[in-house]
Amino acid sequence: MNRRTDDIINRTVIMNRLDSITSEMGIALEHSAHSPIFAEACDFACCICDEAGELVSQLSGIPILATAGSFSVKSVLRKFGTAITDGDVFIINDPYDGGNHLPDIGIITPVFYEDELLFFCVSRAHHGDIGGSTAGSYNPKATEIFQEGLRIPPTRLMKNNEMIMDVLELIRLNTRNPDMLTSDFLAQIGSNRLASRRIKDMLSTYSVATVKKAVTESLIQTETLTRQRIEAIPDGTYSAVDYIDDDGFQTEPVKIAVAVTIAGNRMLVDFAGTDAQVKGFINTSVVTATCAAGIAALWFLGKDIPRNSGAFRCIEVNLPVGSLVNPNLPAPMTLCTLTPASEIIGTIFKALDQAQTGRVSAGYHRYLGPSFYGVDPRNGRYYVGFSFCSLGSGGAMKGHDGKPYIATLSNFGGVKAPNIESNEVQYPHLTLHHEMDGDTAGAGEYRGGCGMKFAFEITADKGDVVNFGDGIKFAPYGLRGGQQGSLNRSIFVHDGENIIMESKEAPRHAVKGDRIYLNTSSGGGWGDPMKRPLQKVYDDVQDEIISLATAENVYGVIISEAGIDFEKTEKRRNNS
């Protein structure tokens, strides 16, 4: 073999090995964490960055967190620089300095080999509580970030592989579940330590120079591939807007405006025209907005492009200062990784679909679900729970119906729904029903996924419920003639009274026997419903995804007890 062939083989093996390490990090984190948010919902991400903070691998976890790992590492490098030593571990969550939002805490471990800093291992995970005025740290009535929880700038958590107890105690004293928080920190530290050990094993096989060359060349190769894909898109500016229901204070919708400009092999995602920052907690950090833009662009450009810094070099993002997507301190922003991150991705999809259709999906559901907290009467312990079971569904795209019961666009299905029985063990509530909601899927040649019906009853003597999210006023969009999905709806039954809940509410007191009913939004459809294959329409009726009336009135398919009436169907479709 010649030298060039050797380099290609080494690069392929080394990069795949780094991917396998990040995957193993995620498995370790899932299996060792205490919190159901980690162990059941898998609301975390793991990645590896090089010595300059460039993202190298992010195979495990949800992309809105993994992609942000580079920002956190660069914040650590800016603050500590050459003072970083072997045996250090850093912690960060500040959305104004390298973080997504306060509940997502990053643990960063530098990897030294032969006294040289070569990599950073990063685990970022959503913690159940990080302080603030509301348990769970989602406070829909917060007007500044100080009400949302503890801000942690880049901070050294361990030195010489020993915990700095003063730092840990400061964080513990500002949270409602300090033991669980500490346990989950240790799981993140352990996940990073495992990755560090695996990287050092690899470095004992390949020289440092070989590994560094493989990483550098891989980022360059990814950049080249990404630029080739951008260059294949017709030059021009493609614009779209979408709206968030409100910010929890004003009733007016909040606009997201996006203009995607393609010029040769460059892509600019410009948010000029997006509304100014708002009073409520739907503002988004620069990290989250930038990551959301990159996620949307790379979906469009192709799944075969590695999700590393080489790809993100090609995507310029303009975030006007003082806007919803780049607010001034101390704007609150805890909701941002759900809303508006998902809406940012969807708006970019709508813009890019104008350039080349069939490469992105119709609208996904918008998250809406309560958190709940109090003391569990079964064990006397304080609990903070989240309604991960109230997921909606995905939007359709050319060739594919929308996925049912999936996490929001910003999470790309990475967050999982907990097992119902496990959920009832972990929290004092009883699930009443959990099923698909018929006749909700956005119609189209390819239809969206159905919405869901989920309800549970509080079994603790008392507690509190916080509803947060969006999608009560604006439904997931359809594409190319596809119809919108359905809206979210929440009902709180308190002392026998039905209360329709807003999407962003202050905590409500709950008592034993109170119930929460959730109808989650469905995915939007793609293409003309009258072009949906007859057999698929028939199958949807049999599966109770749509009714006979919808089959006839929306899809133009007449179905009797004997099956499809082809003659009447042809006439119905021809006359529509």
Side-chain angles (χ1 to χ4, degrees):
M1 290 187 295
N2 59 36
R3 183 64 176 270
R4 178 60 179 162
T5 302
D6 285 345
D7 287 345
I8 292 172
I9 292 172
N10 286 339
R11 181 172 69 240
T12 303
V13 172
I14 288 168
M15 297 311 295
N16 278 315
R17 192 158 174 179
L18 289 170
D19 282 348
S20 122
I21 291 170
T22 54
S23 181
E24 190 177 2
M25 288 174 72
I27 294 169
L29 191 53
E30 179 182 355
H31 290 177
S32 61
H34 184 189
S35 166
I37 300 174
F38 291 24
E40 290 269 351
C42 297
D43 193 351
F44 59 74
C46 304
C47 67
I48 296 170
C49 296
D50 68 12
E51 77 284 357
E54 295 298 308
L55 184 63
V56 173
S57 173
Q58 56 154 330
L59 196 64
S60 178
I62 59 177
I64 202 70
L65 299 186
T67 308
S70 175
F71 289 87
S72 294
V73 172
K74 288 179 179 179
S75 290
V76 168
L77 284 166
R78 280 194 300 270
K79 182 171 181 178
F80 292 95
T82 57
I84 297 171
T85 59
D86 197 4
D88 284 346
V89 173
F90 300 91
I91 186 170
I92 183 173
N93 80 338
D94 185 6
Y96 285 98
D97 188 4
N100 288 94
H101 67 166
L102 294 180
D104 290 335
I105 299 178
I107 300 294
I108 299 167
T109 303
V111 179
F112 284 80
Y113 190 78
E114 296 177 349
D115 297 325
E116 183 180 358
L117 174 60
L118 295 177
F119 292 101
F120 290 90
C121 301
V122 185
S123 61
R124 298 175 65 84
H126 188 114
H127 288 260
D129 184 81
I130 191 61
S133 56
T134 300
S137 305
Y138 280 94
N139 179 4
K141 296 306 174 184
T143 58
E144 55 185 17
I145 195 169
F146 308 114
Q147 297 164 349
E148 297 186 294
L150 179 67
R151 290 172 66 195
I152 307 172
T155 301
R156 188 179 274 111
L157 181 64
M158 296 182 71
K159 181 74 174 176
N160 295 324
N161 293 311
E162 295 290 335
M163 189 73 71
I164 302 174
M165 295 308 298
D166 290 345
V167 173
L168 179 61
E169 193 62 24
L170 174 66
I171 299 170
R172 283 173 53 89
L173 284 172
N174 282 278
T175 64
R176 295 171 176 85
N177 263 335
D179 291 340
M180 182 176 289
L181 185 89
T182 303
S183 173
D184 290 339
F185 280 170
L186 294 175
Q188 289 183 261
I189 292 167
S191 173
N192 287 5
R193 187 170 292 169
L194 171 65
S196 177
R197 191 162 63 244
R198 296 285 189 263
I199 289 171
K200 290 177 181 178
D201 288 344
M202 180 180 69
L203 288 164
S204 68
T205 303
Y206 296 93
S207 70
V208 169
T210 299
V211 171
K212 291 177 74 171
K213 182 179 182 182
V215 169
T216 299
E217 289 182 350
S218 178
L219 297 184
I220 293 171
Q221 185 183 46
T222 300
E223 180 179 0
T224 300
L225 175 59
T226 307
R227 293 199 184 280
Q228 288 173 349
R229 294 290 171 81
I230 294 172
E231 199 164 18
I233 304 168
D235 281 359
T237 296
Y238 308 97
S239 300
V241 298
D242 205 348
Y243 294 90
I244 299 166
D245 287 351
D246 52 59
D247 74 338
F249 291 93
Q250 66 191 52
T251 58
E252 297 83 6
V254 181
K255 181 175 70 174
I256 297 172
V258 169
V260 182
T261 298
I262 306 297
N265 64 5
R266 295 177 56 252
M267 175 185 290
L268 168 64
V269 182
D270 191 354
F271 288 87
T274 295
D275 280 351
Q277 67 185 76
V278 293
K279 187 176 182 179
F281 72 157
I282 64 169
N283 300 290
T284 181
S285 62
V286 166
V287 172
T288 298
T290 304
C291 292
I295 289 166
L298 289 177
W299 174 319
F300 180 83
L301 293 173
K303 65 182 180 180
D304 58 326
I305 297 175
R307 271 45 177 169
N308 61 41
S309 285
F312 295 111
R313 291 170 186 168
C314 311
I315 304 161
E316 182 183 350
V317 182
N318 177 44
L319 304 168
V321 176
S323 71
L324 182 79
V325 293
N326 187 3
N328 292 310
L329 189 70
M333 57 178 66
T334 299
L335 192 58
C336 73
T337 58
L338 295 168
T339 294
S342 296
E343 289 69 38
I344 287 171
I345 295 170
T347 309
I348 295 171
F349 278 4
K350 288 197 288 185
L352 286 171
D353 186 69
Q354 299 165 31
Q356 290 178 342
T357 191
R359 298 175 65 172
V360 295
S361 76
Y364 272 51
H365 75 99
R366 300 188 181 193
Y367 179 82
L368 179 65
S371 61
F372 37 88
Y373 55 92
V375 176
D376 191 332
R378 299 169 298 181
N379 52 33
R381 296 174 185 163
Y382 195 85
Y383 70 89
V384 179
F386 295 89
S387 184
F388 287 107
C389 292
S390 62
L391 302 178
S393 291
M397 62 184 298
K398 186 177 181 180
H400 302 279
D401 289 341
K403 294 289 186 182
Y405 198 49
I406 192 171
T408 59
L409 260 178
S410 61
N411 294 331
F412 271 44
V415 169
K416 301 176 182 178
N419 176 280
I420 289 293
E421 288 75 19
S422 297
N423 222 29
E424 292 174 339
V425 169
Q426 291 154 354
Y427 305 116
H429 72 228
L430 176 68
T431 299
L432 304 176
H433 60 248
H434 191 218
E435 58 189 311
M436 287 189 181
D437 193 0
D439 261 351
T440 57
E445 181 179 358
Y446 302 98
R447 60 158 177 79
C450 283
M452 304 295 297
K453 293 190 293 186
F454 175 53
F456 63 92
E457 181 177 305
I458 305 294
T459 58
D461 292 333
K462 60 181 180 180
D464 290 275
V465 174
V466 179
N467 208 38
F468 62 90
D470 204 67
I472 285 178
K473 302 174 185 175
F474 291 95
Y477 60 87
L479 281 178
R480 300 290 165 170
Q483 295 184 7
Q484 290 183 334
S486 61
L487 294 167
N488 286 318
R489 179 179 172 86
S490 300
I491 297 176
F492 178 49
V493 182
H494 179 61
D495 283 341
E497 178 187 0
N498 285 7
I499 302 166
I500 297 176
M501 302 177 76
E502 299 297 329
S503 61
K504 303 164 186 71
E505 289 201 346
R508 289 182 180 269
H509 294 299
V511 296
K512 187 174 183 178
D514 284 355
R515 295 181 171 190
I516 295 174
Y517 291 86
L518 302 166
N519 290 74
T520 66
S521 54
S522 64
W526 190 97
D528 183 356
M530 290 292 179
K531 294 181 179 178
R532 185 165 177 79
L534 304 187
Q535 187 62 46
K536 287 191 174 184
V537 177
Y538 179 80
D539 290 344
D540 285 347
V541 170
Q542 296 303 302
D543 292 336
E544 300 183 2
I545 292 172
I546 62 173
S547 64
L548 285 169
T550 297
E552 179 176 350
N553 298 328
V554 178
Y555 291 97
V557 180
I558 314 300
I559 299 173
S560 67
E561 290 184 4
I564 300 171
D565 188 321
F566 291 98
E567 183 177 343
K568 289 183 179 179
T569 293
E570 183 178 6
K571 184 177 180 180
R572 175 73 171 80
R573 284 192 162 188
N574 288 339
N575 291 336
S576 63

